[in-house]
Amino acid sequence: MQPVTTRAIPERLSRPQQVAEAIKSWVMAKGWRPGDRLPSEAELIDRFAMSKGTIREAIRILEAQGLVKSRTGPGGGVFVHQVSEERATALLGNYFYFEHLTIDDVYQIRKALEPELAASLAGRLSDAQLRALEEVMTCYDAPARSAAEERDQHIASLRFHALLAEMSENPLMRFLIRFTANMLADITVSRKLYTQPNQELWASGLDYQQRLIAALRSGDSAAARSILAEHMHNAHRLMHLQETVLTQRFLPESKII
Amino acid sequence: MQPVTTRAIPERLSRPQQVAEAIKSWVMAKGWRPGDRLPSEAELIDRFAMSKGTIREAIRILEAQGLVKSRTGPGGGVFVHQVSEERATALLGNYFYFEHLTIDDVYQIRKALEPELAASLAGRLSDAQLRALEEVMTCYDAPARSAAEERDQHIASLRFHALLAEMSENPLMRFLIRFTANMLADITVSRKLYTQPNQELWASGLDYQQRLIAALRSGDSAAARSILAEHMHNAHRLMHLQETVLTQRFLPESKII
DNA sequence: CCCAATTTGTTCGTATGTATC
DNA sequence: AGATACATACGAACAAATTGG
């Protein structure tokens, strides 16, 4: 038997990673905010006593995380950058490239969150906001007559929900609603050819947005909650009838509802 | 007046970013899975006709996103890697370093998700899983007598919820419950010195876990839902009494409940 | 234990591109 | 147009880590 040399944890970070972490702590400690400029490459090389290549790799790491952006030219350099919603969505999306999600998974979350969102917004929206919601609704006035039309309506519906989320003051709620909407928008409908669009089902949800906006305007949060809960139930059922499946792919950063 | 050359969008990607995206598409197209080896640095240099430095920066970008890992030595190379929950948590946490979250924000989500989680698990857990939950509960048998003890109980409670989430078959639910728990664990309790721990409040929630486990065992999902809803309400109220505040910092990848 | 092969990791000098003045 | 200040890119050499003989 050999005496096993227990290597505490072989999880040593590469030097660029160490430098990236160091810069991150530095930014935090100094309280630098988006727009502030980090020291130039040359200064970083001095301060960390690392070569240009290593420093550059460290900066790439931070850039990939969305924390900095760099510009060339005079007055250029590396700048602290607020992580964008797009970047955060893409990065989290990568996680679910491997942890496969089903339609049911996404709808379990939507069913829990969306009614709560609606309830929390009731009576708190301005006229301008309510009008903006009504604006997005226009493409709903008729039931879909083809699979393609139905899919378009679904996408439009997701946009409506994303807009609603945008009106929440809760950044986590905003992000999650929009993230799940993006996951659903990024699907392929592989419906059997003989399946007809289910008109009654959409008809039942046709006026839900009018009713929702009325509830939001009057401040009836219980009504808003139940209207959205009912709609989620219908939408989920419709996806099942369509035998919709989630595609597996890395979300491009650009694509956002 | 000069004829302005309208640069469509100055969002040109740097070459390492282009290479990183190309590799990502390549992995997707080839259907490579975690553990599969990418071509060696030398081969990538040939294939993309880029310098070593550029290729390495591209690999660093993918590594920062958690998509690949590289090892030195013979048999080494760059390998496709499943994005870990820790990495995903850290990356999403960066987003909320700038989009400040309040306790209320996090609890609005928890209040919506946790009862739904409990309901979905009722009647679906094995005896071993139920016993594991009972195991974690043990540190709850007495009300806290100091602020420190109360905080420890809170952390333990978060661990209980994380364990419960782990039993869900919904990867999105699993991630979100654990993410929010991590956000809450990463706080400082800045309580006024003269504030005493609120014993009645904890006492009211003392046996909630026993009742929850009973409901889970018997398959009573309505009961499970309402028990957890009630507990969330109490926990949220307690946090307010403690004047707890969320700290703003970049979450280290290691720290997971 | 040492040596050799393989692959990533790091350094440095130089040159190029880009934006500002 | 030219000078300046900055990031960006390249190439060759060397270092470190891992594996197998």
PDB file of all heavy atoms in Angstrom, chain B residues 148-159:
ATOM      1  N   ALA B 148     -26.644  35.569  17.196  1.00  0.00           N
ATOM      2  CA  ALA B 148     -25.780  34.651  16.461  1.00  0.00           C
ATOM      3  C   ALA B 148     -26.484  33.312  16.247  1.00  0.00           C
ATOM      4  O   ALA B 148     -26.460  32.751  15.148  1.00  0.00           O
ATOM      5  CB  ALA B 148     -24.471  34.446  17.209  1.00  0.00           C
ATOM      6  N   GLU B 149     -27.125  32.810  17.331  1.00  0.00           N
ATOM      7  CA  GLU B 149     -27.834  31.541  17.211  1.00  0.00           C
ATOM      8  C   GLU B 149     -28.959  31.638  16.200  1.00  0.00           C
ATOM      9  O   GLU B 149     -29.199  30.716  15.424  1.00  0.00           O
ATOM     10  CB  GLU B 149     -28.412  31.133  18.574  1.00  0.00           C
ATOM     11  CG  GLU B 149     -27.516  30.168  19.341  1.00  0.00           C
ATOM     12  CD  GLU B 149     -28.195  29.660  20.605  1.00  0.00           C
ATOM     13  OE1 GLU B 149     -29.405  29.305  20.549  1.00  0.00           O
ATOM     14  OE2 GLU B 149     -27.526  29.628  21.632  1.00  0.00           O
ATOM     15  N   GLU B 150     -29.639  32.781  16.231  1.00  0.00           N
ATOM     16  CA  GLU B 150     -30.751  32.946  15.312  1.00  0.00           C
ATOM     17  C   GLU B 150     -30.264  32.924  13.871  1.00  0.00           C
ATOM     18  O   GLU B 150     -30.885  32.336  12.985  1.00  0.00           O
ATOM     19  CB  GLU B 150     -31.459  34.267  15.606  1.00  0.00           C
ATOM     20  CG  GLU B 150     -32.909  34.252  15.168  1.00  0.00           C
ATOM     21  CD  GLU B 150     -33.690  35.371  15.826  1.00  0.00           C
ATOM     22  OE1 GLU B 150     -34.217  35.150  16.925  1.00  0.00           O
ATOM     23  OE2 GLU B 150     -33.753  36.474  15.244  1.00  0.00           O
ATOM     24  N   ARG B 151     -29.115  33.547  13.656  1.00  0.00           N
ATOM     25  CA  ARG B 151     -28.557  33.570  12.307  1.00  0.00           C
ATOM     26  C   ARG B 151     -28.160  32.156  11.862  1.00  0.00           C
ATOM     27  O   ARG B 151     -28.422  31.757  10.738  1.00  0.00           O
ATOM     28  CB  ARG B 151     -27.339  34.491  12.258  1.00  0.00           C
ATOM     29  CG  ARG B 151     -26.831  34.644  10.837  1.00  0.00           C
ATOM     30  CD  ARG B 151     -25.724  35.656  10.706  1.00  0.00           C
ATOM     31  NE  ARG B 151     -25.480  35.920   9.289  1.00  0.00           N
ATOM     32  CZ  ARG B 151     -24.829  35.085   8.487  1.00  0.00           C
ATOM     33  NH1 ARG B 151     -24.376  33.947   8.951  1.00  0.00           N
ATOM     34  NH2 ARG B 151     -24.663  35.374   7.208  1.00  0.00           N
ATOM     35  N   ASP B 152     -27.559  31.408  12.800  1.00  0.00           N
ATOM     36  CA  ASP B 152     -27.186  30.028  12.478  1.00  0.00           C
ATOM     37  C   ASP B 152     -28.412  29.216  12.090  1.00  0.00           C
ATOM     38  O   ASP B 152     -28.366  28.421  11.149  1.00  0.00           O
ATOM     39  CB  ASP B 152     -26.498  29.378  13.686  1.00  0.00           C
ATOM     40  CG  ASP B 152     -25.106  29.944  13.903  1.00  0.00           C
ATOM     41  OD1 ASP B 152     -24.617  30.663  13.000  1.00  0.00           O
ATOM     42  OD2 ASP B 152     -24.524  29.678  14.964  1.00  0.00           O
ATOM     43  N   GLN B 153     -29.495  29.439  12.821  1.00  0.00           N
ATOM     44  CA  GLN B 153     -30.711  28.700  12.503  1.00  0.00           C
ATOM     45  C   GLN B 153     -31.231  29.078  11.122  1.00  0.00           C
ATOM     46  O   GLN B 153     -31.742  28.235  10.392  1.00  0.00           O
ATOM     47  CB  GLN B 153     -31.789  28.973  13.555  1.00  0.00           C
ATOM     48  CG  GLN B 153     -31.522  28.266  14.876  1.00  0.00           C
ATOM     49  CD  GLN B 153     -32.754  28.218  15.749  1.00  0.00           C
ATOM     50  OE1 GLN B 153     -33.754  28.876  15.463  1.00  0.00           O
ATOM     51  NE2 GLN B 153     -32.676  27.443  16.826  1.00  0.00           N
ATOM     52  N   HIS B 154     -31.069  30.346  10.810  1.00  0.00           N
ATOM     53  CA  HIS B 154     -31.529  30.790   9.505  1.00  0.00           C
ATOM     54  C   HIS B 154     -30.739  30.110   8.391  1.00  0.00           C
ATOM     55  O   HIS B 154     -31.301  29.619   7.405  1.00  0.00           O
ATOM     56  CB  HIS B 154     -31.404  32.311   9.387  1.00  0.00           C
ATOM     57  CG  HIS B 154     -31.998  32.858   8.130  1.00  0.00           C
ATOM     58  ND1 HIS B 154     -31.287  33.620   7.242  1.00  0.00           N
ATOM     59  CD2 HIS B 154     -33.243  32.720   7.614  1.00  0.00           C
ATOM     60  CE1 HIS B 154     -32.075  33.946   6.229  1.00  0.00           C
ATOM     61  NE2 HIS B 154     -33.258  33.427   6.417  1.00  0.00           N
ATOM     62  N   ILE B 155     -29.415  30.064   8.571  1.00  0.00           N
ATOM     63  CA  ILE B 155     -28.564  29.391   7.583  1.00  0.00           C
ATOM     64  C   ILE B 155     -28.959  27.923   7.456  1.00  0.00           C
ATOM     65  O   ILE B 155     -29.073  27.385   6.354  1.00  0.00           O
ATOM     66  CB  ILE B 155     -27.078  29.506   7.983  1.00  0.00           C
ATOM     67  CG1 ILE B 155     -26.657  30.975   8.033  1.00  0.00           C
ATOM     68  CG2 ILE B 155     -26.202  28.724   7.016  1.00  0.00           C
ATOM     69  CD1 ILE B 155     -26.450  31.626   6.703  1.00  0.00           C
ATOM     70  N   ALA B 156     -29.169  27.276   8.603  1.00  0.00           N
ATOM     71  CA  ALA B 156     -29.556  25.865   8.582  1.00  0.00           C
ATOM     72  C   ALA B 156     -30.877  25.693   7.847  1.00  0.00           C
ATOM     73  O   ALA B 156     -31.075  24.734   7.091  1.00  0.00           O
ATOM     74  CB  ALA B 156     -29.663  25.335  10.009  1.00  0.00           C
ATOM     75  N   SER B 157     -31.772  26.639   8.067  1.00  0.00           N
ATOM     76  CA  SER B 157     -33.057  26.583   7.381  1.00  0.00           C
ATOM     77  C   SER B 157     -32.874  26.673   5.865  1.00  0.00           C
ATOM     78  O   SER B 157     -33.514  25.941   5.104  1.00  0.00           O
ATOM     79  CB  SER B 157     -33.943  27.726   7.872  1.00  0.00           C
ATOM     80  OG  SER B 157     -35.007  27.949   6.979  1.00  0.00           O
ATOM     81  N   LEU B 158     -31.962  27.549   5.451  1.00  0.00           N
ATOM     82  CA  LEU B 158     -31.706  27.687   4.020  1.00  0.00           C
ATOM     83  C   LEU B 158     -31.157  26.384   3.453  1.00  0.00           C
ATOM     84  O   LEU B 158     -31.474  25.990   2.335  1.00  0.00           O
ATOM     85  CB  LEU B 158     -30.716  28.833   3.770  1.00  0.00           C
ATOM     86  CG  LEU B 158     -31.249  30.243   4.064  1.00  0.00           C
ATOM     87  CD1 LEU B 158     -30.133  31.267   3.965  1.00  0.00           C
ATOM     88  CD2 LEU B 158     -32.391  30.592   3.134  1.00  0.00           C
ATOM     89  N   ARG B 159     -30.346  25.711   4.254  1.00  0.00           N
ATOM     90  CA  ARG B 159     -29.789  24.437   3.807  1.00  0.00           C
ATOM     91  C   ARG B 159     -30.904  23.402   3.624  1.00  0.00           C
ATOM     92  O   ARG B 159     -30.901  22.628   2.679  1.00  0.00           O
ATOM     93  CB  ARG B 159     -28.769  23.937   4.835  1.00  0.00           C
ATOM     94  CG  ARG B 159     -27.562  23.235   4.227  1.00  0.00           C
ATOM     95  CD  ARG B 159     -26.669  22.655   5.307  1.00  0.00           C
ATOM     96  NE  ARG B 159     -26.304  23.622   6.327  1.00  0.00           N
ATOM     97  CZ  ARG B 159     -25.307  24.510   6.213  1.00  0.00           C
ATOM     98  NH1 ARG B 159     -24.603  24.542   5.115  1.00  0.00           N
ATOM     99  NH2 ARG B 159     -25.026  25.350   7.190  1.00  0.00           N
TER     100      ARG B 159
END
